[in-house]
Amino acid sequence: MDAIQIYGGNCLHGQVRIQGSKNAVLPILAAALLIDGVCEIENCPAISDVYHMLRLMESLCCTIDRNGHTVRVDAAGVSRCDMPPDSVGVMRSSIMLLGALLARTGSVSMQYPGGCVIGSRPIDLHLEGLRKMGVVIREREDGFDAETKGLTGAVHRLPIVSVGATENLVLAAVLANGNTVIENAAKEPEITALCDFLIKAGAKIEGVGTKRLCIRGVEKLHEVSYKVPADRIVAGTYVAACLCCGGEVFLKGAPCMQMKAVSAAAASMGAGIEESKEGIAVTCIERRVMPPGLITACYPGFPTDLQSAFLAAMTLADGEGVLEETIFENRFRIVPQLRQMGARIDCQKNKVCVSGVRTLCGTTLRAEELRGGAALVIAGCAAQGRSVVKNKHFIERGYEDICHDLCSLGARCKKE
Ligand code: EPZ
């Protein structure tokens, strides 16, 4: 069955190694297309989004070899420029290949990646920026054909902060003729990782980690090996699991420096947080209290990808609390299911007001997307009795093995 069975109520104790970052490795795999040769990517998480991305790259005539968490990409043979619709449909992140493929082959045909339950996920900023760099884009009903005689540098002033648009424009700029400036660029650590990979391969990028990126196009990039950083969202999910269940956990390899807003939110709910270069120790002995107003924001603010997990934790905290979502228009999908477990949540437009309860009751739940699904699993770990979270395939998009990880921390859950 495509489900996870949980017997909740245990406090969490133990340690777990944090996997490589999904949102860092996907653009880095796209960047490997820019290199006429071999790249070796270490600490690559074994998740379905990576599997689909690698299949898509093979369909573009890349040679892929996987050995455990190391992936070897040979992009010397990249030629085909139409992405198989079934792969694009499965994988929104295929849009990330656009900039790199245009830089490499000069033409791409693909269908629109489409939205998902958390939002319409438009790509207008991607297409607008590429047009400014000399790309002619003919939109069709279900997709578009993009052509360029050669990418040229441009100045982009992004009207809103977009991780994907920033990544696509960086990938298009590194081999373009001339200089590119991206103002109001996203500053997520995953963009810093992408720039680090590209600089290691010979790209000229300044302003890494700031909202203004300056890229000087170069002739060619060279072969490179790179280790993917740990996944701050997976680590933050397990911080929230400890808040939900109580206990003491050690998240080995958690990227503390990238998790300041997450650690601050956990500490505001009564958790003890101890950061070291080995990882993060989280202690939740006392009952949790509500955070003084949690609002999602672009990095370095509190990440939207942990909004659902911290909402689950807030349902079991003392008092009243408010959580506001400012990035996506429909990211409170798990509220009805948390209510089914006994949570008291009042939903307004992009805010929820939570009144903490003493316990949640296990029940049958249904994941509808990646991070909401993970939040339902940790709510099940805290609930009394048995829960079943259906559609575990959504969770496997971004978590190597959430059951194994949570069981390492003393939870009782297993794949069905
Ligand atoms: C990336 O998505 C992440 N995905 C998301 O993580 C994450 O939630 C998001 O950034 C925000 O941090 C990957 O990195 C693979 P955006 P992305 O472009 O790039 C609007 C997860 O769970 N927008 O930063 O698609 C958009 O609608 C996933 O791992 C436009 O209007 O997000 C949204 O409101 C979920 N036009 C806002 O910008 C555009 O052309 C931010 O989106 C592009 C985006």
Side-chain angles (χ1 to χ4, degrees), residues 7 18 20 57 78 105 110 122 132 162 216 230 258 272 333 352 363 410 416:
Y7 285 97
I18 300 300
M57 292 171 73
V78 166
T105 68
M110 70 181 283
K132 285 177 80 171
S162 162
R216 184 154 55 83
Q258 300 174 11
R333 309 279 302 185
V352 289
T363 185
E416 266 196 338

Side-chain angles (χ1 to χ4, degrees), residues 47-296:
I47 53 177
S48 60
D49 267 15
V50 165
Y51 168 75
H52 288 300
M53 182 66 99
L54 294 176
R55 277 196 49 234
L56 196 42
M57 292 171 73
E58 281 177 328
S59 71
L60 298 169
C61 306
C62 286
T63 307
I64 304 285
D65 293 306
R66 288 188 77 161
N67 175 10
H69 286 99
T70 298
V71 172
R72 188 177 177 280
V73 178
D74 183 344
V78 166
S79 55
R80 254 188 75 177
C81 53
D82 56 324
M83 288 195 239
D86 64 321
S87 293
V88 174
V90 166
M91 262 271 302
R92 259 197 52 75
S93 305
S94 50
I95 187 66
M96 239 167 257
L97 295 169
L98 181 56
L101 262 182
L102 282 166
R104 197 65 203 279
T105 68
S107 102
V108 179
S109 280
M110 70 181 283
Q111 73 179 69
Y112 288 119
C116 66
V117 290
I118 68 174
S120 58
R121 314 295 294 273
I123 58 167
D124 55 310
L125 299 179
H126 299 242
L127 301 185
E128 203 176 298
L130 290 169
R131 284 190 170 106
K132 285 177 80 171
M133 297 179 76
V135 180
V136 175
I137 297 173
R138 274 182 296 280
E139 302 200 44
R140 305 188 308 261
E141 195 182 317
D142 66 340
F144 57 87
D145 302 311
E147 299 273 341
T148 180
K149 292 188 171 36
L151 290 162
T152 53
V155 176
H156 304 284
R157 291 185 181 80
L158 294 176
I160 53 172
V161 174
S162 162
V163 170
T166 302
E167 288 165 345
N168 238 329
L169 295 176
V170 166
L171 290 165
V174 289
L175 295 177
N177 302 310
N179 299 337
T180 295
V181 175
I182 304 173
E183 301 202 352
N184 201 26
K187 301 190 291 183
E188 269 65 8
E190 294 76 31
I191 290 172
T192 297
L194 172 64
C195 292
D196 289 347
F197 172 89
L198 288 166
I199 290 167
K200 200 173 174 187
K204 302 293 181 207
I205 306 173
E206 290 176 3
V208 177
T210 76
K211 62 182 185 177
R212 189 174 193 273
L213 293 172
C214 301
I215 301 139
R216 184 154 55 83
V218 294
E219 279 298 308
K220 201 171 160 55
L221 297 177
H222 54 70
E223 298 185 341
V224 68
S225 67
Y226 184 78
K227 184 175 180 184
V228 175
D231 193 313
R232 63 189 174 104
I233 304 300
V234 170
T237 304
Y238 300 151
V239 171
C242 190
L243 284 165
C244 285
C245 302
E248 293 181 80
V249 300
F250 184 67
L251 308 178
K252 189 170 169 44
C256 310
M257 293 311 292
Q258 300 174 11
M259 298 176 65
K260 293 297 181 191
V262 178
S263 298
S268 77
M269 293 182 70
I273 301 284
E274 205 179 310
E275 299 174 346
S276 68
K277 59 182 188 313
E278 288 76 33
I280 295 182
V282 187
T283 306
C284 295
I285 305 299
E286 307 303 323
R287 191 157 159 70
R288 259 57 69 215
V289 295
M290 285 294 176
L294 207 47
I295 305 178
T296 64

